[in-house]
Amino acid sequence: MQLSDFNYDLPPELIAQHPLANRTDSRLLELRANGDNAAQLIDRQFPDILNLIKPGDLLVFNDTKVIPARLHGKKETGGNVELLIERISGDKQAWVQIRASKVPKTGSIVHVYNKLGETFPVEMIGYDGRFYEVRFPENVFDLLERFGELPLPPYIAHQPDQEDANRYQTVVAKNPGAVAAPTAGLHFDEAILKRLHELGVKQGSVTLHVGAGTFTPVREEDLSKHKMHYEWFSVPPETISAIEDTHKAGGRVIAVGTTSLRALESLAQTQQASGETNLFITPGYAFKTVDCLLTNFHLPKSTLLMLVSAFAGVDNIRSAYQHAIQNKYRFFSYGDAMFLTRQAHD
């Protein structure tokens, strides 16, 4: 398939700029497959998830935690520089995206500052054709806590505030390292997690540190030429056991978000429970682990739109997105959710 197969027109007013008052206030579009016929689309509210997930099913969350990954600095020549962590590669090293009128050269220094007037030097040490490798003078996480800013996605127009600090983070977040939230998890609060547990729904976790590359547009019309960005993931032994037990008992593995799905499918592909993955899922991919997917609505021409199209069927997803636009669903990170069942493959 071609890149143009995954384009659609979205009215800008449907891009959610702020979260709703409560996490569970979102709408939920269920895409229910009906054999050979067109999928049925059912408009729901998010708490209806309690009726869609059955006792014995396994919900798998991504427990990554968003870090304050955006830094502001100046080159030694005085020019302004913005650094956005793409992924942390060592105690004092990271790959970053850079915004500047002229990108600083390898070997040069960028002086990062904060509102208190404090500064520290970042050394430019490499470039891989897409991202820049930099060296920090101290532990990256420690410096980000003092100097970093919450990295809201590029389609959210306001500066991050306290509401974002609270709501652009899932209630299960515990392992710092993501530069974007695993947004399907944003719809859950403690009360609904407790209710699911009481209903006999099992819960497991993976960690996939979402990188800034998730927002990098696909530029190759021929998708086979696209190079997927790398993200670090880990699937703990207890989640692997829970998946095996669930499938043996006839239950379903339900990924909360595309990041959870990519971690689980990366494990199935490589038999490695942790490491870096650049798994690029497009239509024709044979899913090995995940039976259902809870996900938000994704950007046109994005790798995530290709992933959900592979999972639920290209025509089904086109119909669902058209329906969502006509019915004024809210899109992207702070937007509404979809519940998808994996399309059967021959």
Side-chain angles (χ1 to χ4, degrees):
M1 301 193 74
Q2 303 293 300
L3 178 62
S4 53
D5 293 321
F6 299 94
N7 197 18
Y8 67 93
D9 294 320
L10 181 68
E13 63 269 19
L14 296 186
I15 300 173
Q17 294 296 318
H18 296 273
L20 297 171
N22 301 297
R23 289 180 182 269
T24 59
D25 286 348
S26 300
R27 296 166 74 187
L28 177 65
L29 179 59
E30 181 192 359
L31 196 161
R32 183 182 294 174
N34 288 335
D36 296 330
N37 300 321
Q40 184 181 1
L41 298 170
I42 304 168
D43 297 304
R44 298 182 178 276
Q45 293 300 125
F46 189 77
D48 291 340
I49 197 84
L50 296 168
N51 302 317
L52 295 177
I53 301 177
K54 304 167 187 173
D57 287 344
L58 172 68
L59 271 178
V60 182
F61 292 87
N62 183 1
D63 66 9
T64 188
K65 187 174 184 179
V66 181
I67 57 177
R70 195 182 305 278
L71 298 166
H72 300 279
K74 288 188 178 291
K75 293 185 282 188
E76 292 179 302
T77 54
N80 291 323
V81 180
E82 181 183 287
L83 293 85
L84 177 63
I85 303 289
E86 203 281 322
R87 67 187 190 278
I88 293 169
S89 54
D91 183 54
K92 297 181 180 180
Q93 289 183 202
W95 292 92
V96 302
Q97 293 180 353
I98 288 182
R99 288 176 62 183
S101 57
K102 194 173 181 182
V103 174
K105 296 177 180 177
T106 300
S108 66
I109 300 293
V110 170
H111 296 278
V112 172
Y113 58 85
N114 63 14
K115 293 176 181 176
L116 300 176
E118 300 171 316
T119 67
F120 73 87
V122 171
E123 182 185 1
M124 309 291 298
I125 59 174
Y127 179 58
D128 70 355
R130 298 173 76 186
F131 305 113
Y132 296 83
E133 191 169 20
V134 298
R135 182 181 292 121
F136 290 71
E138 301 171 32
N139 179 272
V140 178
F141 287 109
D142 293 344
L143 288 169
L144 289 177
E145 285 301 321
R146 288 167 50 204
F147 290 84
E149 177 182 285
L150 186 73
L152 288 179
Y155 45 75
I156 291 180
H158 64 267
Q159 288 296 305
D161 56 23
Q162 190 56 49
E163 178 186 54
D164 298 303
N166 295 332
R167 295 292 299 278
Y168 194 65
Q169 200 80 267
T170 68
V171 296
V172 299
K174 66 176 184 179
N175 290 316
V179 302
T183 55
L186 297 178
H187 304 284
F188 292 86
D189 61 15
E190 296 289 358
I192 206 165
L193 290 176
K194 183 172 182 283
R195 188 76 186 103
L196 285 161
H197 177 72
E198 291 168 349
L199 290 172
V201 175
K202 297 180 287 184
Q203 296 170 31
S205 66
V206 298
T207 304
L208 185 141
H209 292 323
V210 191
T214 194
F215 299 116
T216 302
V218 179
R219 295 188 172 89
E220 298 283 357
E221 179 63 21
D222 179 353
L223 299 184
S224 67
K225 295 181 180 177
H226 175 68
K227 291 184 179 179
M228 191 74 172
H229 59 285
Y230 281 92
E231 292 169 315
W232 185 88
F233 79 98
S234 177
V235 183
E238 55 268 30
T239 298
I240 296 173
S241 297
I243 290 168
E244 293 172 353
D245 293 345
T246 299
H247 278 155
K248 280 179 186 174
R252 300 174 299 172
V253 173
I254 302 170
V256 179
T258 56
T259 58
S260 295
L261 182 148
R262 287 186 69 239
L264 294 175
E265 293 294 327
S266 294
L267 165 64
Q269 287 277 0
T270 65
Q271 303 304 307
Q272 299 294 316
S274 67
E276 290 199 326
T277 179
N278 68 338
L279 179 62
F280 182 24
I281 295 176
T282 56
Y285 176 87
F287 292 87
K288 297 176 175 60
T289 301
V290 178
D291 303 299
C292 299
L293 173 64
L294 181 76
T295 185
N296 281 22
F297 293 92
H298 302 292
L299 291 159
K301 297 185 176 181
S302 65
T303 60
L304 302 182
L305 182 57
M306 296 165 197
L307 183 155
V308 296
S309 298
F311 191 81
V314 175
D315 291 339
N316 289 341
I317 291 294
R318 282 186 186 140
S319 297
Y321 273 57
Q322 185 178 16
H323 176 91
I325 291 168
Q326 289 172 346
N327 289 275
K328 294 184 165 44
Y329 275 69
R330 301 165 76 251
F331 276 63
F332 307 158
S333 295
Y334 282 145
D336 296 316
M338 299 180 73
F339 187 83
L340 308 175
T341 301
R342 188 180 70 201
Q343 185 183 52
H345 292 280
D346 296 331

